[in-house]
Each structure stands twice: as C-alpha cells, then as structure tokens.
Amino acid sequence: MLYLVGLGLSYKSDITVRGLEAVRKCSRVYLEHYTSILMAASQEELEEYYGKEIILADREMVETGSDKILHNAENEDVAFLVVGDPFGATTHTDLVLRAKHSNIPVEIIHNASVMNAAGSCGLQLYNFGQTVSMVFFTDNWRPDSWYDKIWENRKIGLHTLVLLDIKVKEQSIENMARGRLIYEPPRYMSISQCCEQLLEVEENRGTKAYTPDTPAVAISRLGSGSQSFKVGTIKELSEYDAGEPLHSLVILGRQCHDLELEYLLEFTDNREKFTNDVRADQEYFKPAPWVPPTEPADE
C-alpha cells in the first residue's frame, strides 16, 4: 500500500491520528521536501515523533525517480508525507497515477492546507476563484501567465489566493550546466517581493486586472503560533515586512461582503482608509449595467 499522508501546516502533532497510525506501520517513509515546509518541526523531531527514519524526497526524486518511492509498494507499506494536504500539488496526483498503473493500492489521508486555512483571514472560501502561484523572477525569466487568472477572478468578483514561491535544494544555472551537485541556500518569497512583481506585471500589461490601490491580505506563517494577517493595498504591502516565512497573499475581489470587510478591519491600523479602498475598488470593477438590445428597425 502507498499512503499519501497530509501533515497539516506547522506542528509535528498536526498529523491526524489516522495518518500517524499509517506512518508507524510503514517500512519506508518519504517526506516531500520542495513544495512547502513544516514550519515548527524539523526532520529530526518528526523522526522521533513517528519512531521512523524519514527519507527526504526532493523534486527530482518525486518527478523523475518515483520508481524508487514505489519500489515493492505492492508488498509493503510505504508512506509519502506532504505538508498540508496530499493534493496540494499536481506532482502528487502524478505519483498516485503511477502507483495505480503499477497496480499498487493507494490510500489518501487528508489534512488542513493553505487552500482551506486561508479562510482564517475572514474571507469566505466560496468567494475565492482560481488560485495562482507567484515564482521568483530572474533577469531573463519573468512569467506572467497567472495575470490572466487574476483578471478572470476579478471580472466575476472573486478573491484570488496567491501562493508564494519557495526554493529548496535548487541549483544555479551554472552549476546545473556543469553538472555540479551544489545547491543554493533555501529561499522563500516575501509578501513585499510578491507585490513588487504584481505591480511590475500590471505596469507592463496595462489592462488593470488590479491596480496599486487594490486591497489585499498578507498572510504570514499560516497555522503556526506566530500566524499573522495584515491588510492594505498592493502598493502598501509591497513595503510591508511580514517577518519569517511562509507567506501567502489574497487579492480581494469586488464582491467583498460586509461581514468579510468587518473581519478584515481587525488587521489594519487605519480602518477608515481600508474601508474606503475596498469601496473604491468595488466601484471601479463593478460590471456595466445591462442594457436590453434594441429592436431592429422595420424596413
């Protein structure tokens, strides 16, 4: 059996009882180690808590070396641990398909993830649209395909959850080209950098999917003891120091309910300004009034 086990967001004890029971009976335990990190627990702490040795699974192992993970899983129990929920990344769907194609039974054990815990900022989950990912820009790679998804969300009034890039066990282009297994220090995108990139792309596109004055919510260390929220415009948050990672961002849609706004006002020092920013954004993105078609003139 292959078990995909969600670990939750922060603590070693965030794993479910069912997940813990599964891990403790497995002969091999892998920890996915590139889409997210467990903020308040080290590998050593997890090993002590589970009573099992943990094998770190980087992107290369999961995407191109999954045969190693699935080896003999039809005869023994193997656990694949994922921070958050097992289906928080498409890579994990691919692993399940590979297992099924090899006739390996699979059991999924779910847990909390950023996709549902983001509702703790006060915005209703059913008012969210497509989720997008913001990657680190480089000198010659500045992808902006996510812009159209934000625009689509905004046109129908929905909030957009923006997941911020992390780089763990990544090689520089030079080391990769030379075949040197030298890895860069871990990097975690900040709220301010995400907002700077948002503003850069909007300036280049110029179609105003959002503006510097669009309200947003900065989410820091979601699910941990130091979890915090801060609201402001994208421009204001581009200058905001959100502290230690991990960070996420929500861009508000124009259909911000009064109850949502009331909750968000707990996270600002200037309630009147933020209220005015939200109202102005709602007015700017309000759809044009419907006008009935005119009847064609009789000839």
Side-chain angles (χ1 to χ4, degrees):
M1 175 79 75
L2 173 67
Y3 291 94
L4 264 70
V5 182
L7 298 185
L9 292 168
S10 189
Y11 301 97
K12 64 184 181 183
S13 54
D14 282 348
I15 189 171
T16 63
V17 173
R18 179 163 155 251
L20 184 58
E21 290 173 347
V23 169
R24 286 180 172 169
K25 71 178 183 180
C26 287
S27 55
R28 284 179 288 129
V29 179
Y30 294 89
L31 173 61
E32 190 262 65
H33 193 58
Y34 63 93
T35 61
S36 191
I37 60 168
L38 207 58
M39 289 177 285
S42 66
Q43 178 182 349
E44 293 74 23
E45 289 171 326
L46 292 180
E47 288 178 330
E48 180 180 1
Y49 190 64
Y50 301 152
K52 293 285 184 178
E53 178 185 355
I54 290 176
I55 304 165
L56 293 181
D58 59 16
R59 183 185 298 274
E60 183 179 1
M61 176 184 288
V62 178
E63 294 185 348
T64 63
S66 59
D67 290 347
K68 182 180 296 186
I69 298 172
L70 299 177
H71 175 69
N72 203 38
E74 66 273 21
N75 299 314
E76 59 181 326
D77 291 325
V78 177
F80 185 75
L81 312 181
V82 180
V83 175
D85 185 79
F87 287 128
T90 54
T91 300
H92 309 145
T93 306
D94 182 66
L95 182 64
V96 170
L97 288 174
R98 290 172 185 266
K100 290 186 175 182
H101 292 162
S102 300
N103 295 317
I104 297 170
V106 177
E107 184 169 335
I108 310 298
I109 302 176
H110 294 285
N111 209 320
S113 77
V114 64
M115 302 291 285
N116 53 24
S120 59
C121 74
L123 297 175
Q124 301 297 320
L125 291 178
Y126 54 73
N127 287 335
F128 279 71
Q130 302 171 88
T131 297
V132 303
S133 296
M134 179 68 71
V135 302
F136 285 107
F137 284 178
T138 67
D139 291 340
N140 53 13
W141 189 59
R142 310 176 92 75
D144 62 358
S145 58
W146 43 264
Y147 180 92
D148 295 321
K149 293 183 178 181
I150 296 176
W151 185 213
E152 290 168 2
N153 289 344
R154 297 272 287 165
K155 281 194 288 188
I156 57 176
L158 300 179
H159 312 311
T160 304
L161 175 61
V162 185
L163 304 178
L164 277 55
D165 200 7
I166 74 170
K167 297 291 187 186
V168 178
K169 201 179 179 182
E170 297 280 340
Q171 292 177 274
S172 67
I173 295 176
E174 180 183 355
N175 286 330
M176 190 181 301
R178 295 177 180 272
R180 298 185 297 211
L181 294 179
I182 301 173
Y183 300 102
E184 301 292 296
R187 290 191 296 152
Y188 307 94
M189 183 179 288
S190 66
I191 293 292
S192 58
Q193 183 170 2
C194 173
C195 290
E196 287 171 2
Q197 294 185 183
L198 282 167
L199 294 174
E200 176 186 323
V201 170
E202 176 52 57
E203 184 175 356
N204 292 336
R205 288 287 196 103
T207 51
K208 294 187 177 179
Y210 50 86
T211 73
D213 295 325
T214 293
V217 187
I219 302 176
S220 306
R221 299 167 298 280
L222 186 63
S224 76
S226 61
Q227 169 181 290
S228 69
F229 305 100
K230 180 72 173 179
V231 297
T233 64
I234 293 176
K235 175 61 177 175
E236 289 169 344
L237 293 179
S238 72
E239 302 167 359
Y240 171 58
D241 181 0
E244 294 294 313
L246 297 171
H247 299 160
S248 303
L249 184 78
V250 181
I251 301 172
L252 266 64
R254 61 173 164 75
Q255 295 186 96
C256 182
H257 191 274
D258 286 346
L259 189 61
E260 292 178 301
L261 177 57
E262 182 181 349
Y263 203 107
L264 292 176
L265 291 176
E266 299 297 314
F267 310 127
T268 179
D269 297 327
N270 193 332
R271 298 167 67 93
E272 182 178 358
K273 181 184 182 303
F274 186 74
T275 299
N276 290 336
D277 289 337
V278 170
R279 299 300 187 214
D281 186 71
Q282 290 176 331
E283 186 66 27
Y284 182 83
F285 281 92
K286 188 190 312 183
W290 182 77
V291 177
T294 57
E295 294 292 332
D298 295 331
E299 294 183 1

